[in-house]
Amino acid sequence: AIELDGKNSDVKNNAAYGCDGGLIHFEGGDLKTLEPGNVAVDNNRVTYCGRKSFSNVIYSGNSNYGMLTSCGNTVKNNVISDCMTFSAIGGKGNNYLIENNEIYNNGWLVDDAGAIYYGKSNIQYGNVIRNNYVHDLNRDNSYCGIYSDDGFSGITVVNNVVRNAKKGIIINYGMNCDISDNLFVNTDIGITGGSMMGKGTGKNLYT
C-alpha cells in the first residue's frame, strides 16, 4: 500500500484492510555511515492483509533475502491481525527498534517463518525487539513469535510476551544475541535453535 524511501518521516494512524500485500515497504538511513533514517511506523491498524503468503505487513528492505541500506528506524504501537503473510514485521538493517506492537492470528499459509522476522546477516547489529505482545498464531506448522534466522547477529529480544503459539522464539545460529526476560504462555517450545555466541542476561519465564 505504501512505498517510502527517505528519512525523518512518520507513517502513523493508518488503517488497512484486505490489501493483497502489506501496509508498507520502507527504507531510511545509511548503513555505511550508520546515519539514522528516523522513519517511524507508529500506531497503525492492519487486518486481513497479505493474501500473498510471502509478502510482509511492515517491511524494510528489498526482500527477506536482499541487502538494503537502512539504519535507525522504529516500528512501534502497531496492531496487526488476521494476516497470512510471511511475517508481520520484518527486514534488515542496523539499530532498529521494534516495540509495543501487538500481533495475533497470523501466519496461516506459511511454515518456516515468524510474526517478527529478521534474517541472513551477521553484521547488522543494534536491533532491539522489546515489549511486544504476540499471540494466537498458526500452531500447525513451525510459525513462531520472533525469529532471528540464518545467522542474524547482535539482536536483543527482551520483555516480549508470546502466547498460544507452537514456538516462542527461534534463534538460528547468530552471534552475540541477547534473549532475556521474555514470557511464554501456552507455547510448545519457548526458545529453540542455536546461537554461536548467544547469552541470556535475565530470566525467560514459561507458563
Side-chain angles (χ1 to χ4, degrees):
I2 300 171
E3 291 278 344
L4 174 65
D5 187 352
K7 60 182 181 179
N8 301 321
S9 300
D10 291 333
V11 180
K12 64 181 181 179
N13 302 329
N14 299 287
Y17 177 86
C19 299
D20 197 37
L23 172 67
I24 181 171
H25 168 217
F26 74 96
E27 296 186 27
D30 191 320
L31 190 61
K32 293 181 180 180
T33 66
L34 297 183
E35 177 186 2
N38 295 319
V39 175
V41 182
D42 182 10
N43 196 39
N44 300 284
R45 181 71 168 91
V46 184
T47 305
Y48 194 59
C49 289
R51 287 170 288 179
K52 295 180 179 179
S53 62
F54 283 95
S55 59
N56 304 271
V57 176
I58 298 173
Y59 191 77
S60 182
N62 295 321
S63 72
N64 286 320
Y65 306 100
M67 296 301 293
L68 73 157
T69 59
S70 291
C71 179
N73 301 303
T74 301
V75 179
K76 63 181 181 179
N77 303 323
N78 302 283
V79 179
I80 302 169
S81 68
D82 304 293
C83 296
M84 294 169 277
T85 51
F86 182 87
S87 70
I89 299 170
K92 283 185 179 179
N94 287 67
N95 303 332
Y96 272 67
L97 176 60
I98 312 299
E99 68 174 355
N100 299 330
N101 301 283
E102 182 180 6
I103 303 166
Y104 63 95
N105 200 34
N106 270 38
W108 294 99
L109 295 181
V110 292
D111 185 358
D112 183 21
I116 300 174
Y117 180 93
Y118 279 76
K120 293 188 179 293
S121 175
N122 62 1
I123 61 171
Q124 292 173 339
Y125 275 50
N127 296 289
V128 177
I129 299 173
R130 69 185 183 196
N131 302 328
N132 299 283
Y133 180 33
V134 183
H135 59 100
D136 297 296
L137 303 178
N138 178 11
R139 300 188 73 141
D140 294 332
N141 297 314
S142 295
Y143 200 84
C144 70
I146 299 169
Y147 201 158
S148 179
D149 195 14
D150 293 325
F152 199 86
S153 298
I155 196 167
T156 298
V157 183
V158 295
N159 295 327
N160 301 282
V161 177
V162 181
R163 180 175 65 85
N164 293 340
K166 186 172 184 178
K167 298 179 180 179
I169 297 174
I170 299 176
I171 303 296
N172 191 13
Y173 293 104
M175 297 183 292
N176 303 310
C177 300
D178 186 355
I179 315 301
S180 302
D181 301 313
N182 300 284
L183 174 63
F184 307 100
V185 181
N186 193 27
T187 59
D188 295 346
I189 300 173
I191 303 172
T192 187
S195 180
M196 295 171 65
M197 297 173 62
K199 64 177 181 178
T201 58
K203 294 181 179 179
N204 298 287
L205 301 178
Y206 306 82
T207 65

PDB file of all heavy atoms in Angstrom, residues 33-65:
ATOM      1  N   THR A  33      27.412   4.577   6.982  1.00  0.00           N
ATOM      2  CA  THR A  33      27.812   5.576   7.976  1.00  0.00           C
ATOM      3  C   THR A  33      27.059   5.438   9.291  1.00  0.00           C
ATOM      4  O   THR A  33      27.382   6.114  10.270  1.00  0.00           O
ATOM      5  CB  THR A  33      27.578   6.988   7.426  1.00  0.00           C
ATOM      6  OG1 THR A  33      26.171   7.199   7.244  1.00  0.00           O
ATOM      7  CG2 THR A  33      28.296   7.175   6.100  1.00  0.00           C
ATOM      8  N   LEU A  34      26.034   4.581   9.310  1.00  0.00           N
ATOM      9  CA  LEU A  34      25.126   4.404  10.450  1.00  0.00           C
ATOM     10  C   LEU A  34      24.337   5.674  10.772  1.00  0.00           C
ATOM     11  O   LEU A  34      23.873   5.868  11.896  1.00  0.00           O
ATOM     12  CB  LEU A  34      25.872   3.914  11.684  1.00  0.00           C
ATOM     13  CG  LEU A  34      26.544   2.536  11.561  1.00  0.00           C
ATOM     14  CD1 LEU A  34      27.192   2.144  12.880  1.00  0.00           C
ATOM     15  CD2 LEU A  34      25.554   1.476  11.110  1.00  0.00           C
ATOM     16  N   GLU A  35      24.177   6.529   9.787  1.00  0.00           N
ATOM     17  CA  GLU A  35      23.294   7.679   9.966  1.00  0.00           C
ATOM     18  C   GLU A  35      21.856   7.183  10.053  1.00  0.00           C
ATOM     19  O   GLU A  35      21.383   6.469   9.173  1.00  0.00           O
ATOM     20  CB  GLU A  35      23.425   8.652   8.796  1.00  0.00           C
ATOM     21  CG  GLU A  35      22.472   9.835   8.880  1.00  0.00           C
ATOM     22  CD  GLU A  35      22.511  10.713   7.652  1.00  0.00           C
ATOM     23  OE1 GLU A  35      23.264  10.379   6.714  1.00  0.00           O
ATOM     24  OE2 GLU A  35      21.788  11.724   7.621  1.00  0.00           O
ATOM     25  N   PRO A  36      21.121   7.542  11.110  1.00  0.00           N
ATOM     26  CA  PRO A  36      19.756   7.027  11.249  1.00  0.00           C
ATOM     27  C   PRO A  36      18.796   7.626  10.245  1.00  0.00           C
ATOM     28  O   PRO A  36      18.906   8.793   9.863  1.00  0.00           O
ATOM     29  CB  PRO A  36      19.386   7.430  12.674  1.00  0.00           C
ATOM     30  CG  PRO A  36      20.233   8.619  12.969  1.00  0.00           C
ATOM     31  CD  PRO A  36      21.525   8.386  12.236  1.00  0.00           C
ATOM     32  N   GLY A  37      17.833   6.819   9.835  1.00  0.00           N
ATOM     33  CA  GLY A  37      16.794   7.308   8.948  1.00  0.00           C
ATOM     34  C   GLY A  37      15.685   8.038   9.686  1.00  0.00           C
ATOM     35  O   GLY A  37      15.003   8.881   9.126  1.00  0.00           O
ATOM     36  N   ASN A  38      15.495   7.678  10.959  1.00  0.00           N
ATOM     37  CA  ASN A  38      14.429   8.289  11.769  1.00  0.00           C
ATOM     38  C   ASN A  38      13.063   8.164  11.094  1.00  0.00           C
ATOM     39  O   ASN A  38      12.264   9.099  11.112  1.00  0.00           O
ATOM     40  CB  ASN A  38      14.750   9.751  12.063  1.00  0.00           C
ATOM     41  CG  ASN A  38      15.988   9.914  12.923  1.00  0.00           C
ATOM     42  OD1 ASN A  38      16.188   9.162  13.875  1.00  0.00           O
ATOM     43  ND2 ASN A  38      16.833  10.877  12.587  1.00  0.00           N
ATOM     44  N   VAL A  39      12.815   7.015  10.490  1.00  0.00           N
ATOM     45  CA  VAL A  39      11.481   6.687   9.989  1.00  0.00           C
ATOM     46  C   VAL A  39      10.745   5.946  11.103  1.00  0.00           C
ATOM     47  O   VAL A  39      11.270   4.983  11.664  1.00  0.00           O
ATOM     48  CB  VAL A  39      11.540   5.825   8.718  1.00  0.00           C
ATOM     49  CG1 VAL A  39      10.143   5.409   8.286  1.00  0.00           C
ATOM     50  CG2 VAL A  39      12.246   6.573   7.597  1.00  0.00           C
ATOM     51  N   ALA A  40       9.552   6.405  11.420  1.00  0.00           N
ATOM     52  CA  ALA A  40       8.748   5.774  12.467  1.00  0.00           C
ATOM     53  C   ALA A  40       7.443   5.274  11.876  1.00  0.00           C
ATOM     54  O   ALA A  40       6.680   6.050  11.292  1.00  0.00           O
ATOM     55  CB  ALA A  40       8.471   6.751  13.596  1.00  0.00           C
ATOM     56  N   VAL A  41       7.201   3.969  11.986  1.00  0.00           N
ATOM     57  CA  VAL A  41       5.923   3.365  11.604  1.00  0.00           C
ATOM     58  C   VAL A  41       5.173   3.147  12.903  1.00  0.00           C
ATOM     59  O   VAL A  41       5.495   2.241  13.671  1.00  0.00           O
ATOM     60  CB  VAL A  41       6.133   2.062  10.822  1.00  0.00           C
ATOM     61  CG1 VAL A  41       4.803   1.471  10.402  1.00  0.00           C
ATOM     62  CG2 VAL A  41       7.012   2.318   9.598  1.00  0.00           C
ATOM     63  N   ASP A  42       4.168   3.968  13.161  1.00  0.00           N
ATOM     64  CA  ASP A  42       3.639   4.116  14.510  1.00  0.00           C
ATOM     65  C   ASP A  42       2.109   4.124  14.518  1.00  0.00           C
ATOM     66  O   ASP A  42       1.470   4.848  13.747  1.00  0.00           O
ATOM     67  CB  ASP A  42       4.178   5.440  15.082  1.00  0.00           C
ATOM     68  CG  ASP A  42       3.741   5.705  16.508  1.00  0.00           C
ATOM     69  OD1 ASP A  42       3.174   4.802  17.165  1.00  0.00           O
ATOM     70  OD2 ASP A  42       3.969   6.837  16.982  1.00  0.00           O
ATOM     71  N   ASN A  43       1.543   3.283  15.382  1.00  0.00           N
ATOM     72  CA  ASN A  43       0.118   3.325  15.684  1.00  0.00           C
ATOM     73  C   ASN A  43      -0.766   3.089  14.454  1.00  0.00           C
ATOM     74  O   ASN A  43      -1.740   3.802  14.212  1.00  0.00           O
ATOM     75  CB  ASN A  43      -0.255   4.668  16.335  1.00  0.00           C
ATOM     76  CG  ASN A  43      -1.611   4.606  17.021  1.00  0.00           C
ATOM     77  OD1 ASN A  43      -1.973   3.611  17.641  1.00  0.00           O
ATOM     78  ND2 ASN A  43      -2.382   5.677  16.894  1.00  0.00           N
ATOM     79  N   ASN A  44      -0.423   2.056  13.692  1.00  0.00           N
ATOM     80  CA  ASN A  44      -1.247   1.657  12.548  1.00  0.00           C
ATOM     81  C   ASN A  44      -2.013   0.386  12.893  1.00  0.00           C
ATOM     82  O   ASN A  44      -1.576  -0.426  13.709  1.00  0.00           O
ATOM     83  CB  ASN A  44      -0.365   1.418  11.326  1.00  0.00           C
ATOM     84  CG  ASN A  44       0.403   2.664  10.937  1.00  0.00           C
ATOM     85  OD1 ASN A  44      -0.143   3.591  10.365  1.00  0.00           O
ATOM     86  ND2 ASN A  44       1.688   2.702  11.268  1.00  0.00           N
ATOM     87  N   ARG A  45      -3.163   0.211  12.231  1.00  0.00           N
ATOM     88  CA  ARG A  45      -4.014  -0.971  12.456  1.00  0.00           C
ATOM     89  C   ARG A  45      -4.170  -1.699  11.135  1.00  0.00           C
ATOM     90  O   ARG A  45      -4.669  -1.128  10.150  1.00  0.00           O
ATOM     91  CB  ARG A  45      -5.389  -0.539  12.987  1.00  0.00           C
ATOM     92  CG  ARG A  45      -6.328  -1.696  13.274  1.00  0.00           C
ATOM     93  CD  ARG A  45      -5.869  -2.477  14.501  1.00  0.00           C
ATOM     94  NE  ARG A  45      -6.863  -3.418  14.979  1.00  0.00           N
ATOM     95  CZ  ARG A  45      -6.948  -4.690  14.591  1.00  0.00           C
ATOM     96  NH1 ARG A  45      -6.126  -5.154  13.672  1.00  0.00           N
ATOM     97  NH2 ARG A  45      -7.841  -5.493  15.109  1.00  0.00           N
ATOM     98  N   VAL A  46      -3.707  -2.950  11.083  1.00  0.00           N
ATOM     99  CA  VAL A  46      -3.703  -3.721   9.844  1.00  0.00           C
ATOM    100  C   VAL A  46      -4.437  -5.042  10.081  1.00  0.00           C
ATOM    101  O   VAL A  46      -4.100  -5.791  11.000  1.00  0.00           O
ATOM    102  CB  VAL A  46      -2.269  -3.999   9.361  1.00  0.00           C
ATOM    103  CG1 VAL A  46      -2.292  -4.706   8.016  1.00  0.00           C
ATOM    104  CG2 VAL A  46      -1.475  -2.701   9.268  1.00  0.00           C
ATOM    105  N   THR A  47      -5.435  -5.320   9.236  1.00  0.00           N
ATOM    106  CA  THR A  47      -6.253  -6.520   9.391  1.00  0.00           C
ATOM    107  C   THR A  47      -6.466  -7.185   8.036  1.00  0.00           C
ATOM    108  O   THR A  47      -6.741  -6.512   7.044  1.00  0.00           O
ATOM    109  CB  THR A  47      -7.628  -6.168   9.988  1.00  0.00           C
ATOM    110  OG1 THR A  47      -7.436  -5.458  11.217  1.00  0.00           O
ATOM    111  CG2 THR A  47      -8.443  -7.419  10.260  1.00  0.00           C
ATOM    112  N   TYR A  48      -6.359  -8.492   8.026  1.00  0.00           N
ATOM    113  CA  TYR A  48      -6.658  -9.317   6.854  1.00  0.00           C
ATOM    114  C   TYR A  48      -5.935  -8.823   5.607  1.00  0.00           C
ATOM    115  O   TYR A  48      -6.507  -8.702   4.526  1.00  0.00           O
ATOM    116  CB  TYR A  48      -8.168  -9.376   6.608  1.00  0.00           C
ATOM    117  CG  TYR A  48      -8.564 -10.473   5.637  1.00  0.00           C
ATOM    118  CD1 TYR A  48      -8.261 -11.793   5.916  1.00  0.00           C
ATOM    119  CD2 TYR A  48      -9.218 -10.174   4.451  1.00  0.00           C
ATOM    120  CE1 TYR A  48      -8.596 -12.799   5.024  1.00  0.00           C
ATOM    121  CE2 TYR A  48      -9.569 -11.170   3.545  1.00  0.00           C
ATOM    122  CZ  TYR A  48      -9.249 -12.479   3.844  1.00  0.00           C
ATOM    123  OH  TYR A  48      -9.576 -13.471   2.940  1.00  0.00           O
ATOM    124  N   CYS A  49      -4.645  -8.543   5.743  1.00  0.00           N
ATOM    125  CA  CYS A  49      -3.810  -8.177   4.599  1.00  0.00           C
ATOM    126  C   CYS A  49      -2.833  -9.310   4.302  1.00  0.00           C
ATOM    127  O   CYS A  49      -2.727 -10.267   5.046  1.00  0.00           O
ATOM    128  CB  CYS A  49      -3.051  -6.889   4.883  1.00  0.00           C
ATOM    129  SG  CYS A  49      -4.090  -5.422   4.911  1.00  0.00           S
ATOM    130  N   GLY A  50      -2.115  -9.170   3.201  1.00  0.00           N
ATOM    131  CA  GLY A  50      -1.097 -10.139   2.876  1.00  0.00           C
ATOM    132  C   GLY A  50      -1.631 -11.474   2.425  1.00  0.00           C
ATOM    133  O   GLY A  50      -1.217 -12.518   2.913  1.00  0.00           O
ATOM    134  N   ARG A  51      -2.565 -11.441   1.498  1.00  0.00           N
ATOM    135  CA  ARG A  51      -3.090 -12.711   0.993  1.00  0.00           C
ATOM    136  C   ARG A  51      -2.061 -13.462   0.170  1.00  0.00           C
ATOM    137  O   ARG A  51      -2.231 -14.642  -0.126  1.00  0.00           O
ATOM    138  CB  ARG A  51      -4.371 -12.441   0.211  1.00  0.00           C
ATOM    139  CG  ARG A  51      -5.549 -12.074   1.115  1.00  0.00           C
ATOM    140  CD  ARG A  51      -6.735 -11.582   0.343  1.00  0.00           C
ATOM    141  NE  ARG A  51      -6.493 -10.268  -0.203  1.00  0.00           N
ATOM    142  CZ  ARG A  51      -7.375  -9.604  -0.957  1.00  0.00           C
ATOM    143  NH1 ARG A  51      -8.525 -10.152  -1.255  1.00  0.00           N
ATOM    144  NH2 ARG A  51      -7.097  -8.397  -1.402  1.00  0.00           N
ATOM    145  N   LYS A  52      -0.970 -12.783  -0.231  1.00  0.00           N
ATOM    146  CA  LYS A  52       0.186 -13.470  -0.786  1.00  0.00           C
ATOM    147  C   LYS A  52       1.080 -13.858   0.384  1.00  0.00           C
ATOM    148  O   LYS A  52       1.591 -13.012   1.095  1.00  0.00           O
ATOM    149  CB  LYS A  52       0.941 -12.553  -1.746  1.00  0.00           C
ATOM    150  CG  LYS A  52       0.159 -12.180  -2.990  1.00  0.00           C
ATOM    151  CD  LYS A  52       0.975 -11.263  -3.884  1.00  0.00           C
ATOM    152  CE  LYS A  52       0.216 -10.905  -5.138  1.00  0.00           C
ATOM    153  NZ  LYS A  52       1.001  -9.973  -6.010  1.00  0.00           N
ATOM    154  N   SER A  53       1.288 -15.140   0.581  1.00  0.00           N
ATOM    155  CA  SER A  53       1.897 -15.609   1.829  1.00  0.00           C
ATOM    156  C   SER A  53       3.335 -15.152   2.010  1.00  0.00           C
ATOM    157  O   SER A  53       3.829 -15.114   3.130  1.00  0.00           O
ATOM    158  CB  SER A  53       1.824 -17.143   1.894  1.00  0.00           C
ATOM    159  OG  SER A  53       2.545 -17.723   0.842  1.00  0.00           O
ATOM    160  N   PHE A  54       4.051 -14.809   0.941  1.00  0.00           N
ATOM    161  CA  PHE A  54       5.429 -14.390   1.089  1.00  0.00           C
ATOM    162  C   PHE A  54       5.590 -12.882   1.057  1.00  0.00           C
ATOM    163  O   PHE A  54       6.666 -12.357   0.831  1.00  0.00           O
ATOM    164  CB  PHE A  54       6.324 -15.061   0.044  1.00  0.00           C
ATOM    165  CG  PHE A  54       6.617 -16.481   0.393  1.00  0.00           C
ATOM    166  CD1 PHE A  54       5.841 -17.506  -0.134  1.00  0.00           C
ATOM    167  CD2 PHE A  54       7.619 -16.803   1.282  1.00  0.00           C
ATOM    168  CE1 PHE A  54       6.095 -18.826   0.216  1.00  0.00           C
ATOM    169  CE2 PHE A  54       7.875 -18.115   1.637  1.00  0.00           C
ATOM    170  CZ  PHE A  54       7.113 -19.134   1.097  1.00  0.00           C
ATOM    171  N   SER A  55       4.517 -12.162   1.276  1.00  0.00           N
ATOM    172  CA  SER A  55       4.605 -10.731   1.499  1.00  0.00           C
ATOM    173  C   SER A  55       4.773 -10.468   2.987  1.00  0.00           C
ATOM    174  O   SER A  55       4.765 -11.384   3.803  1.00  0.00           O
ATOM    175  CB  SER A  55       3.350 -10.038   0.957  1.00  0.00           C
ATOM    176  OG  SER A  55       2.197 -10.549   1.597  1.00  0.00           O
ATOM    177  N   ASN A  56       4.943  -9.208   3.350  1.00  0.00           N
ATOM    178  CA  ASN A  56       5.125  -8.824   4.739  1.00  0.00           C
ATOM    179  C   ASN A  56       4.259  -7.605   5.023  1.00  0.00           C
ATOM    180  O   ASN A  56       4.082  -6.749   4.159  1.00  0.00           O
ATOM    181  CB  ASN A  56       6.589  -8.478   5.004  1.00  0.00           C
ATOM    182  CG  ASN A  56       7.526  -9.608   4.632  1.00  0.00           C
ATOM    183  OD1 ASN A  56       7.812 -10.474   5.434  1.00  0.00           O
ATOM    184  ND2 ASN A  56       8.014  -9.599   3.395  1.00  0.00           N
ATOM    185  N   VAL A  57       3.731  -7.491   6.221  1.00  0.00           N
ATOM    186  CA  VAL A  57       2.857  -6.364   6.531  1.00  0.00           C
ATOM    187  C   VAL A  57       3.655  -5.072   6.653  1.00  0.00           C
ATOM    188  O   VAL A  57       3.362  -4.075   6.004  1.00  0.00           O
ATOM    189  CB  VAL A  57       2.063  -6.635   7.824  1.00  0.00           C
ATOM    190  CG1 VAL A  57       1.222  -5.419   8.201  1.00  0.00           C
ATOM    191  CG2 VAL A  57       1.156  -7.846   7.649  1.00  0.00           C
ATOM    192  N   ILE A  58       4.683  -5.059   7.492  1.00  0.00           N
ATOM    193  CA  ILE A  58       5.581  -3.916   7.634  1.00  0.00           C
ATOM    194  C   ILE A  58       6.983  -4.418   7.374  1.00  0.00           C
ATOM    195  O   ILE A  58       7.499  -5.263   8.110  1.00  0.00           O
ATOM    196  CB  ILE A  58       5.482  -3.296   9.041  1.00  0.00           C
ATOM    197  CG1 ILE A  58       4.073  -2.762   9.294  1.00  0.00           C
ATOM    198  CG2 ILE A  58       6.518  -2.183   9.205  1.00  0.00           C
ATOM    199  CD1 ILE A  58       3.838  -2.293  10.725  1.00  0.00           C
ATOM    200  N   TYR A  59       7.625  -3.909   6.328  1.00  0.00           N
ATOM    201  CA  TYR A  59       8.916  -4.476   5.928  1.00  0.00           C
ATOM    202  C   TYR A  59       9.882  -3.387   5.482  1.00  0.00           C
ATOM    203  O   TYR A  59       9.500  -2.445   4.801  1.00  0.00           O
ATOM    204  CB  TYR A  59       8.747  -5.484   4.783  1.00  0.00           C
ATOM    205  CG  TYR A  59      10.013  -6.265   4.560  1.00  0.00           C
ATOM    206  CD1 TYR A  59      10.350  -7.300   5.420  1.00  0.00           C
ATOM    207  CD2 TYR A  59      10.894  -5.922   3.551  1.00  0.00           C
ATOM    208  CE1 TYR A  59      11.532  -7.984   5.267  1.00  0.00           C
ATOM    209  CE2 TYR A  59      12.081  -6.602   3.390  1.00  0.00           C
ATOM    210  CZ  TYR A  59      12.400  -7.639   4.257  1.00  0.00           C
ATOM    211  OH  TYR A  59      13.577  -8.306   4.113  1.00  0.00           O
ATOM    212  N   SER A  60      11.129  -3.552   5.867  1.00  0.00           N
ATOM    213  CA  SER A  60      12.196  -2.663   5.423  1.00  0.00           C
ATOM    214  C   SER A  60      13.219  -3.478   4.654  1.00  0.00           C
ATOM    215  O   SER A  60      13.801  -4.407   5.187  1.00  0.00           O
ATOM    216  CB  SER A  60      12.850  -1.977   6.625  1.00  0.00           C
ATOM    217  OG  SER A  60      13.842  -1.090   6.196  1.00  0.00           O
ATOM    218  N   GLY A  61      13.432  -3.131   3.400  1.00  0.00           N
ATOM    219  CA  GLY A  61      14.372  -3.868   2.570  1.00  0.00           C
ATOM    220  C   GLY A  61      13.718  -4.374   1.312  1.00  0.00           C
ATOM    221  O   GLY A  61      12.519  -4.228   1.101  1.00  0.00           O
ATOM    222  N   ASN A  62      14.522  -4.994   0.450  1.00  0.00           N
ATOM    223  CA  ASN A  62      14.027  -5.443  -0.845  1.00  0.00           C
ATOM    224  C   ASN A  62      13.313  -6.784  -0.766  1.00  0.00           C
ATOM    225  O   ASN A  62      12.352  -7.027  -1.467  1.00  0.00           O
ATOM    226  CB  ASN A  62      15.187  -5.520  -1.843  1.00  0.00           C
ATOM    227  CG  ASN A  62      15.772  -4.157  -2.120  1.00  0.00           C
ATOM    228  OD1 ASN A  62      15.047  -3.179  -2.228  1.00  0.00           O
ATOM    229  ND2 ASN A  62      17.086  -4.081  -2.215  1.00  0.00           N
ATOM    230  N   SER A  63      13.807  -7.663   0.061  1.00  0.00           N
ATOM    231  CA  SER A  63      13.177  -8.969   0.250  1.00  0.00           C
ATOM    232  C   SER A  63      13.753  -9.566   1.513  1.00  0.00           C
ATOM    233  O   SER A  63      14.689  -9.035   2.105  1.00  0.00           O
ATOM    234  CB  SER A  63      13.455  -9.907  -0.941  1.00  0.00           C
ATOM    235  OG  SER A  63      14.805 -10.321  -0.917  1.00  0.00           O
ATOM    236  N   ASN A  64      13.231 -10.693   1.942  1.00  0.00           N
ATOM    237  CA  ASN A  64      13.792 -11.356   3.120  1.00  0.00           C
ATOM    238  C   ASN A  64      15.241 -11.761   2.904  1.00  0.00           C
ATOM    239  O   ASN A  64      15.976 -11.994   3.853  1.00  0.00           O
ATOM    240  CB  ASN A  64      12.962 -12.587   3.463  1.00  0.00           C
ATOM    241  CG  ASN A  64      11.633 -12.209   4.077  1.00  0.00           C
ATOM    242  OD1 ASN A  64      11.559 -11.302   4.872  1.00  0.00           O
ATOM    243  ND2 ASN A  64      10.579 -12.902   3.692  1.00  0.00           N
ATOM    244  N   TYR A  65      15.663 -11.860   1.650  1.00  0.00           N
ATOM    245  CA  TYR A  65      16.998 -12.333   1.343  1.00  0.00           C
ATOM    246  C   TYR A  65      17.840 -11.266   0.662  1.00  0.00           C
ATOM    247  O   TYR A  65      18.934 -11.535   0.205  1.00  0.00           O
ATOM    248  CB  TYR A  65      16.913 -13.574   0.448  1.00  0.00           C
ATOM    249  CG  TYR A  65      16.050 -14.628   1.053  1.00  0.00           C
ATOM    250  CD1 TYR A  65      14.731 -14.805   0.633  1.00  0.00           C
ATOM    251  CD2 TYR A  65      16.526 -15.407   2.093  1.00  0.00           C
ATOM    252  CE1 TYR A  65      13.928 -15.762   1.227  1.00  0.00           C
ATOM    253  CE2 TYR A  65      15.725 -16.363   2.697  1.00  0.00           C
ATOM    254  CZ  TYR A  65      14.437 -16.536   2.254  1.00  0.00           C
ATOM    255  OH  TYR A  65      13.621 -17.470   2.834  1.00  0.00           O
TER     256      TYR A  65
END
